Amino acid sequence: MKRNRKSKLPVEPAAWSLNYDQNQANTNFPGRRITSVLLFYALGFFLLYFVTREFSVGLPIRRFFLCLMPIIDPQLIGSLWTENEPVALLDRLPWFASAAALLITIWSVGTVVCDRIRMPYDYGIGLRFFFAMVCGASLCSALIALMALCGCLTAPLWIMTAFGLLGACAYGVRKLRTASDVHKMLHRSPGSWIFLTLALLLTFLYLAGSAIPTSEYDMLEYHLQGAREIYERGHLAFAPHNVYLNMPLGVEMFYLWGMVMTGSVFYGALVGKIVVASFALTTAIGIGAFVYHVLKKVAPAAASAAIYLAFPANYLVFSTGLNDGVCGFAILAIVIISMQILKNRCTYGMMVLAGLALAFAISVKYTMVVFVGIPFALLLVFASVREKRWRPAVLCCVITLLAGGLWYGKNLIATGNPVYPLAYTIFGDSSGTWTPELNQRWTKAHGPSSFSPATAMEKGTEILVNSRDAAPFAAMAILSFLFVCMLGAIRRNSLTSVSVGSIIFFLAGYLTLFVLIWFFATHQQARFLVPVIPVTVLLLVCSLDVCFDGLPSYLYNRTLFLLATAVCVSLGMCAILQSGYLAPLEHMRRDPERYGNWSVWFSQNSDILNEKSEPDKESSLLLVAEANAFAYQLPIQYSTCWNESPLAQCLHGAVVYDKSGTHIVSIFDPAAISNRLKERGVRFILFNQAEWRRFTSFGNYGFTSTEIEPALFDLLVQAGVLKFYFPENYDSFTEYSRTAFDVYEVD
């Protein structure tokens, strides 16, 4: 077997082949009738979806009218997009440039890997770019995590970025010829320019949405806050106050990278958001490139990319910076590699790709171990037994552990549990921060609500019919697959003789497996289905190709155009009422309506913390029942509802409990509490009563300690430990800020 002079990996071009059998049986099935039913279903469903169903934006309103909002009330749209501020676009350019530098570095690192493993150029620029981004994202995330664990961030990150940019320049000069190849391919299929134009418009929408500072709860609680704490602390360590920061933070490393490169927590987070949103565009390129290589048709490839980007659920996740969409980015790579393994054989180069993709997936979320880790491991065992060799599989496992196991190793050393706080009954917890009572509450809150058929019907209706984020596109994919099965029963030849038959059934099988795991092993939130959207789009387009087999190509293209347009209109309904597209970033940074009056006030008046503090001691704001820590741009102390509050720690041995031992009835040593607060540097305490009531309500998470309640603060005020604090402009605060929050000064 030949070997590359520059690489020790053997050259196995046949194993990399993406050429599927193109011989299709075009006879003996009523294609026109079935296709007519499919078209009428699509038209009827979209008509009902857009016209008759209602969509709530504060007041009930028909979905169709949202599409007409720019015509009916353009002034309203303008005020939303600018937030009644002067139009500002230039203030985003430095952060887009910074994000571009990070993305180019990721691509450069990944391209080196693809060249070293001898990925054939027959894959084309699209798939090579996609796999390069997967490899680069995995390696860069792992390297940044390793740097953070070693406490050495700034200099290595700048060096890595510089070398990445230099490498990109060298590779870019060699790859300029590929642009002309893409132009020739599009020129051969004029209709594909329509889908490409849709995809480009959606790209601008994603980038515009990514440049809006997020106010999403999970982002402020731990996604951005985790990166901020590592940046401010200077190293990665176990976080006893926030259980979520001890989970895999692979995507959060890009937020950390942005903070290091910009020297700013707020703008670094914005750079990271743009990088994360760019993974949606990369995923769309991967989907389109794979469809082109399978179907050998440009229009379906461009349409699949546009349909993926137009999924409203995708936009909502990527524009807020959540990591669910990035999981789909990694899953798409693993699915493509899995089909190659089943079709051909395991090669060392393919196992390098699989190991890096799998490492990136499990470094983003624990659940990816179940969704892709275990299924892919079973596939590797099957392939190894079939080929009677285990070295490629071992190589894949080693790469996965090296590139994605850092987060699990850190937890194993700190707590004795690699998947802390999960699997507590198996591994326990040596850190003392997790208890059987907490584990029981966590399992109840994050486990499935019910396995009954009624629950399955309710969840299915919610996602396939009522959801503005997924319906009716997921339903369309399922229906198309059912038509493919019908065709398989009608045709004389087996459906496996069709070019994409095996791909369709593999995609349908994995989609079914994913949904079953989601239903039986998670708390059944619709957002957790976002990672499987790329698979759904592939299933939809490939199934439609089979349904339209033997019919004129223009009918297929027009149907794709109808579907893509409908999806884009649905996305427009979600995105059109998004505020801040054109507003100044500095205005949004200090907008009380976005982050609340108190967070903005404390962030702007952080000097008040040090007015009465000792010169050599930094004072801080203690947040109680308020986990939106990232919104407070000043020194803070806080805890999530799963961790013991710093205030509760200061109460030990200084209070009297009732007979039940849960509620505090009096304070016998106020001086001890006051001294402990001052030793911690606590200058002010902010108590979010609204959030406390939400967490202690029936069926919710439940608060960490029942001793933290509104009555406690009354006792602390009476004992002289605390006193109410009202800023000069308190009367200008919103009614919610005045009633939901109580702020106290340590006396």
Side-chain angles (χ1 to χ4, degrees), residues 232-499:
E232 293 178 342
R233 192 189 306 122
H235 66 278
L236 175 64
F238 180 75
H241 60 285
N242 191 333
V243 63
Y244 297 105
L245 302 191
N246 300 308
M247 297 180 179
L249 300 175
V251 170
E252 288 73 11
M253 293 301 97
F254 299 116
Y255 297 123
L256 175 62
W257 194 359
M259 293 175 188
V260 172
M261 299 301 293
T262 60
S264 167
V265 170
F266 178 81
Y267 291 111
L270 198 66
V271 170
K273 270 188 80 228
I274 297 172
V275 171
V276 169
S278 300
F279 289 131
L281 313 179
T282 307
T283 307
I285 292 173
I287 291 173
F290 182 72
V291 169
Y292 174 74
H293 277 277
V294 170
L295 303 181
K296 303 301 180 184
K297 300 173 184 176
V298 181
S304 62
I307 292 171
Y308 170 78
L309 289 177
F311 255 82
N314 259 341
Y315 173 78
L316 294 174
V317 165
F318 277 108
S319 63
T320 54
L322 294 168
N323 58 14
D324 303 270
V326 182
C327 292
F329 167 66
I331 284 177
L332 176 63
I334 296 171
V335 166
I336 294 175
I337 294 169
S338 299
M339 288 188 284
Q340 289 300 98
I341 292 174
L342 290 174
K343 176 179 179 290
N344 301 302
R345 59 196 297 257
C346 293
T347 65
Y348 291 101
M350 199 176 296
M351 290 301 99
V352 172
L353 279 182
L356 290 175
L358 191 58
F360 189 48
I362 66 173
S363 69
V364 174
K365 271 192 171 186
Y366 280 143
T367 51
M368 291 299 106
V369 175
V370 181
F371 281 124
V372 291
I374 295 176
F376 189 77
L378 295 176
L379 177 65
L380 279 185
V381 172
F382 167 77
S384 300
V385 171
R386 180 187 65 183
E387 300 174 15
K388 298 181 180 180
R389 59 173 189 161
W390 292 88
R391 287 186 179 181
V394 172
L395 175 64
C396 178
C397 294
V398 170
I399 291 176
T400 301
L401 290 176
L402 290 177
L406 181 143
W407 303 103
Y408 301 83
K410 175 184 73 72
N411 285 341
L412 182 63
I413 295 172
T415 68
N417 181 358
V419 289
Y420 174 92
L422 308 182
Y424 175 79
T425 55
I426 300 174
F427 298 102
D429 171 39
S430 60
S431 67
T433 57
W434 208 247
T435 64
E437 185 271 334
L438 278 176
N439 184 68
Q440 183 179 4
R441 225 163 14 97
W442 177 279
T443 304
K444 182 179 179 181
H446 293 84
S449 57
S450 172
F451 300 134
S452 65
T455 302
M457 182 68 68
E458 177 188 351
K459 295 295 180 181
T461 304
E462 175 188 344
I463 294 169
L464 299 179
V465 180
N466 296 330
S467 172
R468 68 188 175 99
D469 301 338
F473 323 116
M476 186 74 175
I478 294 173
L479 186 72
S480 302
F481 172 69
L482 294 177
F483 271 103
V484 170
C485 296
M486 188 186 303
L487 290 177
I490 294 173
R491 286 178 170 173
R492 292 180 179 177
N493 297 329
S494 170
L495 189 61
T496 55
S497 66
V498 182
S499 62

Side-chain angles (χ1 to χ4, degrees), residues 44-241:
F45 201 114
F46 287 128
L47 184 65
L48 290 174
Y49 182 76
F50 291 131
V51 179
T52 63
R53 298 189 184 278
E54 291 188 349
F55 175 87
S56 177
V57 286
L59 294 174
I61 186 172
R62 302 290 180 180
R63 287 187 172 110
F64 178 75
F65 287 108
L66 287 176
C67 307
L68 301 178
M69 285 297 290
I71 301 173
I72 297 174
D73 194 351
Q75 187 175 359
L76 173 63
I77 301 301
S79 63
L80 280 173
W81 288 5
T82 62
E83 297 189 356
N84 296 317
E85 295 289 326
V87 175
L89 291 176
L90 296 180
D91 60 350
R92 290 159 169 77
L93 291 182
W95 318 123
F96 274 114
S98 301
L102 270 57
L103 289 167
I104 291 173
T105 302
I106 292 171
W107 172 78
S108 180
V109 171
T111 300
V112 172
V113 174
C114 290
D115 280 355
R116 296 296 294 174
I117 64 175
R118 299 287 292 170
M119 179 180 288
Y121 285 94
D122 292 343
Y123 267 36
I125 183 176
L127 274 178
R128 283 183 60 86
F129 174 78
F130 170 71
F131 280 119
M133 291 296 290
V134 172
C135 295
S138 181
L139 286 174
C140 289
S141 177
L143 288 173
I144 296 170
L146 182 62
M147 295 174 196
L149 193 64
C150 297
C152 187
L153 278 171
T154 306
L157 273 180
W158 275 100
I159 293 173
M160 184 178 77
T161 307
F163 274 100
L165 293 175
L166 290 174
C169 293
Y171 274 98
V173 172
R174 294 168 50 191
K175 311 298 181 186
L176 285 178
R177 60 181 176 81
T178 56
S180 60
D181 297 337
V182 174
H183 181 270
K184 292 177 181 177
M185 181 180 66
L186 293 173
H187 184 70
R188 289 195 298 267
S189 179
S192 60
W193 283 103
I194 300 175
F195 301 113
L196 183 62
T197 303
L198 282 177
L200 291 176
L201 291 175
L202 293 168
T203 298
F204 286 116
L205 183 61
Y206 271 75
L207 294 178
S210 68
I212 300 174
T214 183
S215 57
E216 207 276 334
Y217 183 88
D218 287 353
M219 291 294 295
L220 299 180
E221 182 183 14
Y222 61 94
H223 290 299
L224 296 179
Q225 180 61 20
R228 172 190 175 183
E229 290 189 23
I230 298 172
Y231 172 70
E232 293 178 342
R233 192 189 306 122
H235 66 278
L236 175 64
F238 180 75
H241 60 285

Side-chain angles (χ1 to χ4, degrees), residues 519-560:
F519 184 76
F520 288 105
T522 72
H523 47 312
Q524 301 169 345
Q525 284 191 10
R527 196 188 82 197
F528 294 159
L529 289 174
V530 169
V532 83
I533 288 179
V535 177
T536 307
V537 173
L538 287 178
L539 177 63
L540 171 61
V541 175
C542 293
S543 298
L544 284 176
D545 181 76
V546 175
C547 291
F548 281 83
D549 179 32
L551 298 179
S553 60
Y554 71 85
L555 188 60
Y556 181 32
N557 292 343
R558 290 175 183 178
T559 304
L560 286 175

Side-chain angles (χ1 to χ4, degrees), residues 2-18:
K2 294 183 179 180
R3 294 179 181 269
N4 180 22
R5 295 179 180 178
K6 297 183 180 180
S7 174
K8 297 181 180 180
L9 297 177
V11 181
E12 300 177 274
W16 288 96
S17 175
L18 274 172

